[in-house]
Amino acid sequence: MTQPSAQHGAATPDHSALLRRHGLRCTASRLCTLRLLSASGQHVSTAEVCAQLQGMGLPFDQATVYRTLEIFTEVGLAHAVLGPGPKRYGVSSVPHHHVVCEECGRVQDVAIAQMSEAVERITELTGLHAGAGGSLLLYGRCSRCST
């Protein structure tokens, strides 16, 4: 497969370097998927990533995208959030927590600073000291699904 052209979201040198720092080869699939995840700022499913890549005219199938996202998760380049429906993947250089709507599956980030009191209380109740990369998953219904 050839490198994607600039009109189809060619990876910046930063994306290539990021893949290499995580011990990954810079394939077209990985570069395009990482760029899409980074630009979206959202948590997306394999099917959503695949549809967006195909919408840009890139011939990536869902199995390739799934393997790419799983590899990103294994090496710590991305993270996966489980909820109702498909697993969703996100990229962030800042540790954070997540809230997940049990009805629509929407995932939102919550800054660690916004949850510091809750994490301290959990430590008091359980004795568990959250690690720097730890993430709380809070499930409920989002404002759109609650009405």
Side-chain angles (χ1 to χ4, degrees):
M1 192 171 293
T2 60
Q3 286 288 91
S5 66
Q7 78 181 51
H8 291 303
T12 65
D14 291 338
H15 290 111
S16 297
L18 189 57
L19 287 169
R20 287 188 187 100
R21 276 197 305 272
H22 283 82
L24 300 175
R25 287 186 308 116
C26 295
T27 65
S29 174
R30 289 175 182 168
L31 290 168
C32 290
T33 302
L34 180 57
R35 186 166 197 271
L36 190 145
L37 279 178
S38 298
S40 77
Q42 299 178 20
H43 294 80
V44 292
S45 69
T46 301
E48 291 168 331
V49 171
C50 192
Q52 289 180 34
L53 291 172
Q54 289 173 348
M56 292 186 284
L58 302 172
F60 298 125
D61 61 64
Q62 198 160 336
T64 300
V65 172
Y66 174 78
R67 283 191 305 270
T68 300
L69 292 169
E70 286 296 304
I71 288 168
F72 286 178
T73 303
E74 287 173 23
V75 299
L77 194 54
H79 58 274
V81 178
L82 301 175
K87 187 186 301 187
R88 297 189 172 275
Y89 299 87
V91 174
S92 177
S93 60
V94 179
H96 58 278
H97 302 296
H98 299 98
V99 293
V100 180
C101 179
E102 293 173 312
E103 190 163 320
C104 69
R106 184 170 167 233
V107 177
Q108 291 181 274
D109 292 348
V110 178
I112 287 202
Q114 294 172 314
M115 297 291 293
S116 62
E117 288 181 31
V119 171
E120 288 174 19
R121 183 69 178 133
I122 290 169
T123 299
E124 290 172 10
L125 292 170
T126 66
L128 177 74
H129 295 272
S135 176
L136 292 175
L137 287 173
L138 300 173
Y139 295 91
R141 293 181 74 200
C142 69
S143 58
R144 287 187 276 181
C145 294
S146 295
T147 58

